[in-house]
Amino acid sequence: FDSINYIENMKLGIDCVGAAGGIIEGTVCYTGDVSDPKRGLYDLEYYMNFVRELEALGIHVLAIKDMAGVLKPEAATMLVGAIRKEFPNLPIHVHTHDTAGTGVASMLAAAKA
């Protein structure tokens, strides 16, 4: 993964794992709040475009890494639901921290989506 979602830093690892016949898990690092369209750069389309880039590189699994524990349940539903709709066969792994006290609720929302 790359903590700032810089795809160029991820390509070598993705290519090497693929060449070795391994399972490629591409990672999206989450920040912001996709459920609030006024939050700036990190909206739903930002994440969807990044997932599209990762999928085009041949990932087998997608990880959503919520390093700061800011993924709210509504945002988890929106993000995972949108990814699932566009990539129904792509396994999704969500990793979060309970910094904001919403970790369990967010995981349930992600699983339901």
Side-chain angles (χ1 to χ4, degrees):
F1 80 94
D2 183 82
S3 63
I4 59 170
N5 291 332
Y6 184 57
I7 198 84
E8 294 302 318
N9 284 346
M10 300 173 72
K11 287 181 178 179
L12 177 62
I14 289 170
D15 291 344
C16 289
V17 171
I23 296 172
I24 305 166
E25 182 173 21
T27 304
V28 173
C29 291
Y30 181 83
T31 191
D33 182 4
V34 298
S35 64
D36 182 355
K38 296 178 279 185
R39 290 292 300 263
L41 172 65
Y42 305 105
D43 60 7
L44 184 59
E45 195 58 28
Y46 166 87
Y47 291 105
M48 291 304 297
N49 285 334
F50 194 72
V51 171
R52 289 178 189 115
E53 287 186 77
L54 288 172
E55 198 275 336
L57 290 174
I59 65 167
H60 302 118
V61 178
L62 175 70
I64 300 170
K65 186 173 182 72
D66 176 25
M67 299 177 290
V70 296
L71 181 64
K72 297 177 185 176
E74 182 181 358
T77 298
M78 290 174 64
L79 181 59
V80 174
I83 295 167
R84 177 64 52 234
K85 183 176 180 181
E86 189 165 333
F87 304 102
N89 297 316
L90 182 64
I92 301 172
H93 162 212
V94 181
H95 174 95
T96 192
H97 295 263
D98 201 23
T99 309
T102 59
V104 172
S106 295
M107 292 304 94
L108 291 171
K112 187 175 179 182

